[in-house]
Amino acid sequence: MERVSRPDLKGVAWRKSSYSNQAGGDCVEVADGIPGVVPVRDSKDPQGPALLFPATSWAVFIARLKTGHRP
């Protein structure tokens, strides 16, 4: 597993998953524009921790979801 350095996430723009429901439950948010990593967090806990995924791994994950593969 490749190691990534911890970027400063203060002030980044988070966006909710298009699969999130309107009631605010079970939402995943991601932040764009951070070189090399994709931060992911639980929208119900915005001050909580964010998981950092290597951008290449995140791209593979999303591509597989779009083709119907499940992790």
Side-chain angles (χ1 to χ4, degrees):
M1 182 174 203
E2 99 188 61
R3 286 278 222 194
V4 294
S5 60
R6 190 106 180 117
D8 182 6
L9 300 178
K10 293 177 188 161
V12 299
W14 294 91
R15 61 182 172 85
K16 283 189 182 180
S17 165
S18 60
Y19 288 95
S20 296
N21 66 32
Q22 298 301 323
D26 299 328
C27 298
V28 172
E29 294 180 323
V30 298
D32 296 317
I34 300 173
V37 296
V38 177
V40 179
R41 72 178 184 184
D42 180 351
S43 67
K44 295 181 302 305
D45 187 13
Q47 301 308 315
L51 300 174
L52 298 178
F53 294 94
T56 53
S57 298
W58 186 257
V60 170
F61 172 70
I62 295 300
R64 287 182 170 223
L65 288 178
K66 287 181 178 181
T67 60
H69 289 89
R70 297 292 179 234

